[in-house]
Amino acid sequence: MPEFLQSPAGRAVICVTVAVLAILIIELNYRWFFKTVFDAIFAFIAILICSPVIAVCAVVSKCRAGSVLEKIPYLGKGGRIIYLTSFAGVCGALKNLPRLFDVLTGKMSFVGVIPLGIGDGALIDDDAMPRFNAKPGICCHLALNSYEGLAYEQIFSLDARYARRRELFTDIVIVLKCAVLGVRGENREYLGEAKDKSYAQVLTERGVITQEQADAALKAANDLILKEAERRTIKEDFER
């Protein structure tokens, strides 16, 4: 046996065994640990690779809009309010390049659920809450099966299913699928109603809620943001 392990075939068996065990350990702990680790590693690598483009976009954004970045509030993992960044004066896919930094800091993931606006969060029911066990993603898991014509309720259900699973090889396939769709320039029809409408807009169009109720939900969410900002300011002043 020792002689076999020292032979080329034996070393190959050892390497394969170690690789299989490593993949198994990563897969079993992917949701709880390795997904976050891989997000940080690959976000850092992507930022380094894209740094010349990011620098040019920053200059263009500053010249066009007077500021480099804009921050928009969304609901992140656990239903917490997060601010996702984009270039203020750049259009198209390059606009969202700063979200690589959001992945690096843990606000987003490379693969996740759709980012949900704060006004929409006040309108979802309890059945949709499991979706908040996963972070919003630069790539949406819905691209995997190219769903079309999805209603928001179906999207929330699929979000919850993804949040329960979050498997390594599934995420790899989703990233590759999104890359192919991006290269082809195909529209994101797989997002269904979420492609170009908020949940509040859809509910208003359906007649489920009135425009006044949608406005009230957004106002309540904005009031919550202001209160959180005030608490943060008070805390920072106290710590000083």
Side-chain angles (χ1 to χ4, degrees), residues 131-234:
R131 73 178 302 280
F132 291 114
N133 290 328
K135 297 176 184 178
I138 291 180
C139 299
C140 182
H141 67 94
L142 296 174
L144 181 61
N145 295 307
S146 298
Y147 296 105
E148 291 186 12
L150 287 175
Y152 259 103
E153 290 77 12
Q154 294 172 301
I155 292 172
F156 293 154
S157 177
L158 291 169
D159 284 348
R161 187 181 72 175
Y162 172 78
R164 287 194 304 269
R165 298 179 178 178
R166 282 176 289 170
E167 299 168 338
L168 171 63
F169 292 104
T170 301
D171 277 5
I172 292 173
V173 174
I174 291 170
V175 171
L176 294 176
K177 182 69 176 292
C178 288
V180 170
L181 292 175
V183 170
R184 291 178 179 176
E186 296 183 14
N187 293 327
R188 300 188 300 166
E189 298 297 335
Y190 56 84
L191 292 179
E193 290 181 329
K195 177 176 178 288
D196 49 19
K197 293 180 182 179
S198 67
Y199 187 41
Q201 287 176 313
V202 170
L203 291 180
T204 303
E205 290 177 0
R206 293 180 190 170
V208 176
I209 63 173
T210 64
Q211 185 60 52
E212 289 74 17
Q213 289 173 313
D215 293 340
L218 181 59
K219 183 179 183 303
N222 285 327
D223 289 342
L224 181 62
I225 290 176
L226 290 175
K227 290 180 181 179
E228 182 180 295
E230 290 174 358
R231 286 196 298 268
R232 189 183 300 115
T233 301
I234 293 172

Side-chain angles (χ1 to χ4, degrees), residues 31-115:
R31 284 189 301 165
W32 317 112
F33 178 71
F34 285 104
K35 183 175 174 67
T36 301
V37 172
F38 290 159
D39 277 339
I41 292 173
F42 287 109
F44 181 73
I45 293 173
I47 290 169
L48 290 180
I49 294 173
C50 298
S51 56
V53 179
I54 292 174
V56 171
C57 288
V59 173
V60 171
S61 186
K62 179 67 175 179
C63 294
R64 288 181 177 177
S67 60
V68 175
L69 300 174
E70 60 181 1
K71 295 186 177 183
I72 302 174
Y74 289 93
L75 293 177
K77 186 176 182 180
R80 294 185 296 272
I81 297 173
I82 59 174
Y83 291 86
L84 302 183
T85 52
S86 57
F87 285 120
V90 177
C91 300
L94 294 179
K95 179 181 180 69
N96 291 325
L97 266 180
R99 292 194 176 179
L100 290 172
F101 293 95
D102 294 329
V103 175
L104 184 63
T105 56
K107 295 178 184 177
M108 297 188 76
S109 177
F110 272 109
V111 180
V113 299
I114 59 170

Side-chain angles (χ1 to χ4, degrees), residues 1-11 14:
M1 189 64 174
E3 294 179 358
F4 172 75
L5 294 178
Q6 293 177 1
S7 67
R11 288 194 291 269
I14 292 173

